Structures are given as structure tokens and as C-alpha cells.
């Protein structure tokens, strides 16, 4: 077992936490959603998101500063700009699809509010995005994901848990106002601690005292986050094993499936916001000892999904 401080640094310096600093607020997610649907101009974005001019201006500026968008002139007199996704911003499309799939499966409110049927223009079918392993092509399930801690071989270790490998990661979605896609996810994860608590549960940590120790989190903060995750239907409290008086928190099916959007964000962060010398979880699929690759595909034709090939109604 690793020491608490080692765990803590692995968890609290998670790539997901880093990514959330850039994309983890509701307006940013909503703007991304509209841009994936083709909106480019300020007026279009304002109308589609319902954001005030001041809020939208501020958010767009931050997104440009963070390299998700760039401004492109579409008229010279008077000068006018529209917003375009950079490659880094476009790469969040997989995350958007993963969040959409999770929300439409698990949240009633999202189902009402989601625009949303997705049609894959390439094959002509309505479809559901499915996350598959980029190496072996099988659908991603938490059972097949392995979390390996440490960048130094000496400290590498797999966490065994009930005969299977322990898992880590971080993330989730919830349905709020607006038209779904990301929002439940963001409601669930968008604060500093929640993704870390989730990561720890993905890794197999369950007991309150264990979570508190491994995360180094204040007890009132942990209790509050666990309560929210239970209310969101992501965790379920159960009596602890033999003699333990404390509750254990287990992932529900809804919680387990959160692994997919979580992985999508993790992988995006590792690729686009790498931090040198930062120890982090290595994620593997059961098919390979090489780092996890994941892609979203159409469940009808198994083709890759690009924003320009997908129509949302
Ligand atoms: Zn695989
Ligand atoms: Zn298709």
C-alpha cells in the first residue's frame, strides 16, 4: 500500500483537476457544445446559450487565452471576428460525446432537455456514441481499466481489489438547465474536490476514513462531497464489512459508467495540458501494457465521429 502522501499527490495532482481548471465551468461547457453544433459568432453564441454579453465576453476571452478557441476575421469594414475551435478545443469533442451518452442514459432531466438525437451523416443513422479502446476496439468498461501509479518503476504498483485491479479516475455529469450535454456532468464534478473523491472511488477506495486519509481532505468537505455524489446517484452508502461501523461508499452503475467521460477528460488533459515531472496515474486497458487509447465511435457503423459529421436535433 502506498503511503497517504503518495496517494494524495497522485490524486490531487490529477490531470483531470488540471483540465477542469480550464473547462470545468458551466458556461465554458455550454459554449463548447454550441460550437460543436456549428455556432461561431458572438450573437449566435449569445442566443444559443442565454449568457449575458458580459459573461459571454469574459468566457470567450478565457477560452482564447487557454488555447481552446481563436478569433478569425470574417469582415473588414467594420472589422468583425468569429470564433473557431483550435485543434486542442476540437479534441474535446470526444469528451462532449461521452458526456452526452452518459447524460442521456442516466438523467431524466437531461433526456427532457437534450436537443437531442444525434445523427451520423456518414452512415445516415441515429446513433449513440460508444467509447472503445483505441487498440483492441472493445467497448470501454471500468472492469477493463487498470490504474497504475507512479512514473518511477520502483513505485509502480497495481492496486488489487476483490480480485480485480483497482481503478482511478475522475469525473461525472448531471442534468441542469439548458439542453443537457455536459451539464449534469459539470454539476457533479465541477469543484476541486469532487473529481478527486470520484477518482479515489474508481480506484476502489470505499471507506470514509480511508478516503479522508488518502485525499488529505477536511472531514466536512469530504462529508459534503459524498452527500452530493449520493444524491446524484453516483455513490451508494452501504454498511461496512465485518465489524466496521463506518459506511462504505460504492459506485452505482451510473457511477461506474462515469468512467467514460472521466477517461475522455483525463486523456485530453494528458495530451493537451501535459505537466512535466508530474507523477500521475497510468491508465491501461486490459488488452495491452501500453497506455490507454480511447476513441468514440458510432454504434451503428462503428465509424469515427467528427463534429462536422454529426447532426444534433
Ligand atoms: Zn483494448
Ligand atoms: Zn455511423
Amino acid at each position: 500500500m502506498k503511503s497517504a502522501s503518495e496517494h494524495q499527490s497522485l490524486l490531487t495532482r490529477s490531470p483531470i483537476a488540471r483540465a477542469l481548471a480550464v473547462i470545468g465551468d458551466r458556461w465554458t461547457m455550454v459554449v463548447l457544445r454550441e460550437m460543436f453544433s456549428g455556432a461561431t459568432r458572438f450573437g449566435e453564441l449569445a442566443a444559443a446559450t442565454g449568457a449575458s454579453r458580459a459573461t459571454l465576453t469574459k468566457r470567450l476571452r478565457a477560452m482564447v487565452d487557454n488555447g481552446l478557441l481563436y478569433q478569425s476575421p470574417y469582415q473588414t469594414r467594420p472589422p468583425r471576428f468569429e470564433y473557431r475551435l483550435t485543434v486542442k478545443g476540437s479534441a474535446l469533442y470526444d469528451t462532449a460525446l461521452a458526456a452526452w451518452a452518459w447524460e442521456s442514459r442516466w438523467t431524466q432531466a437531461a433526456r427532457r432537455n437534450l436537443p437531442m438525437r444525434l445523427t451520423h451523416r456518414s452512415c445516415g443513422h441515429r446513433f449513440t456514441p460508444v467509447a472503445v479502446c483505441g487498440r483492441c476496439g472493445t467497448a470501454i468498461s471500468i472492469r477493463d481499466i487498470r490504474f497504475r501509479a507512479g512514473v518511477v518503476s520502483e513505485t509502480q504498483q497495481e492496486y488489487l481489489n476483490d480480485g480485480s485491479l483497482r481503478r482511478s479516475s475522475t469525473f461525472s455529469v448531471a442534468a441542469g438547465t439548458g439542453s443537457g450535454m455536459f451539464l449534469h456532468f459539470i454539476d457533479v464534478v465541477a469543484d476541486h474536490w469532487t473529481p478527486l473523491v470520484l477518482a479515489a472511488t474508481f480506484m476502489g477506495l470505499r471507506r470514509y476514513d480511508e478516503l479522508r486519509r488518502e485525499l488529505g481532505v477536511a472531514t466536512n468537505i469530504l462529508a459534503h462531497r459524498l452527500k452530493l455524489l449520493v444524491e446524484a446517484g453516483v455513490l451508494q452508502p452501504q454498511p461496512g464489512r465485518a465489524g466496521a461501523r463506518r459506511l462504505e461508499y460504492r459506485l452505482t452503475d451510473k457511477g461506474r459508467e462515469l468512467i467514460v467521460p472521466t477517461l475522455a477528460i483525463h486523456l485530453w488533459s494528458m495530451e493537451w495540458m501535459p505537466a512535466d515531472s508530474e507523477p500521475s496515474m497510468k491508465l491501461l486497458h486490459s488488452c495491452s501494457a501500453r497506455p490507454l487509447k480511447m476513441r468514440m465511435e458510432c454504434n451503428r457503423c462503428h465509424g469515427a465521429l467528427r463534429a462536422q459529421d454529426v447532426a444534433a436535433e
Side-chain angles (χ1 to χ4, degrees):
M1 198 63 189
K2 301 182 81 67
S3 73
S5 61
E6 279 174 292
H7 254 314
Q8 192 179 335
S9 81
L10 284 171
L11 287 168
T12 57
R13 298 166 76 188
S14 148
I16 293 178
R18 211 159 57 235
L20 284 175
V22 171
I23 57 171
D25 73 87
R26 295 172 67 91
W27 288 119
T28 299
M29 290 295 194
V30 171
V31 167
L32 282 171
R33 182 191 69 206
E34 295 306 326
M35 295 199 66
F36 287 137
S37 299
T40 57
R41 298 189 183 173
F42 188 93
E44 289 175 307
L45 290 166
T49 63
S52 72
R53 292 190 70 85
T55 299
L56 187 59
T57 300
K58 198 171 143 206
R59 212 45 75 189
L60 289 168
R61 191 177 302 134
M63 291 173 78
V64 169
D65 290 346
N66 286 320
L68 302 176
L69 309 179
Y70 65 95
Q71 287 185 304
S72 170
Y74 67 86
Q75 167 181 313
T76 49
R77 277 191 293 174
R80 291 273 187 270
F81 294 86
E82 60 187 2
Y83 292 89
R84 298 276 183 177
L85 289 160
T86 60
V87 179
K88 178 181 175 181
S90 299
L92 281 164
Y93 191 57
D94 273 6
T95 301
L97 289 172
W100 182 89
W102 185 85
E103 292 199 17
S104 56
R105 181 159 152 76
W106 290 105
T107 69
Q108 293 292 339
R111 214 166 293 137
R112 274 200 310 280
N113 291 323
L114 283 171
M116 275 215 175
R117 295 197 180 94
L118 303 181
T119 301
H120 192 204
R121 293 194 184 100
S122 316
C123 71
H125 289 110
R126 284 198 185 137
F127 73 100
T128 301
V130 178
V132 300
C133 170
R135 298 189 191 280
C136 71
T138 34
I140 295 284
S141 151
I142 193 169
R143 263 174 236 96
D144 303 322
I145 300 298
R146 299 171 183 192
F147 298 85
R148 188 170 290 177
V151 288
V152 184
S153 60
E154 181 180 69
T155 65
Q156 277 195 359
Q157 184 176 349
E158 289 178 356
Y159 300 93
L160 290 171
N161 176 30
D162 295 344
S164 59
L165 288 153
R166 278 202 175 177
R167 18 204 84 122
S168 90
S169 247
T170 319
F171 234 90
S172 105
V173 191
T177 59
S179 48
M181 184 89 108
F182 282 143
L183 295 182
H184 184 51
F185 191 48
I186 286 305
D187 284 347
V188 175
V189 302
D191 70 77
H192 177 69
W193 284 106
T194 303
L196 305 176
V197 172
L198 264 179
T201 61
F202 283 140
M203 287 173 62
L205 301 178
R206 290 179 183 143
R207 295 203 321 270
Y208 185 89
D209 53 346
E210 196 174 46
L211 288 164
R212 193 177 54 76
R213 188 179 62 238
E214 303 283 358
L215 292 166
V217 56
T219 187
N220 59 328
I221 291 174
L222 179 60
H224 182 60
R225 296 310 183 280
L226 287 170
K227 182 167 172 277
L228 293 178
L229 290 169
V230 169
E231 283 170 4
V234 166
L235 295 179
Q236 185 169 31
Q238 295 181 347
R241 272 165 291 193
R245 285 157 63 203
R246 291 273 195 181
L247 292 175
E248 291 188 357
Y249 293 86
R250 293 186 177 248
L251 288 162
T252 60
D253 288 344
K254 179 180 177 180
R256 272 188 287 277
E257 291 187 13
L258 254 183
I259 190 83
V260 169
T262 303
L263 288 173
I265 294 232
H266 181 99
L267 295 171
W268 179 82
S269 180
M270 296 289 278
E271 181 167 3
W272 293 100
M273 303 181 66
D276 298 338
S277 79
E278 175 181 279
S280 64
M281 284 302 160
K282 285 190 173 172
L283 301 176
L284 309 174
H285 194 242
S286 53
C287 70
S288 171
R290 289 183 293 162
L292 175 69
K293 285 189 170 184
M294 188 173 91
R295 66 166 194 271
M296 301 301 294
E297 68 175 34
C298 168
N299 70 326
R300 302 297 294 275
C301 71
H302 301 288
L305 296 169
R306 299 179 307 166
Q308 62 266 38
D309 300 331
V310 172
E313 311 159 33

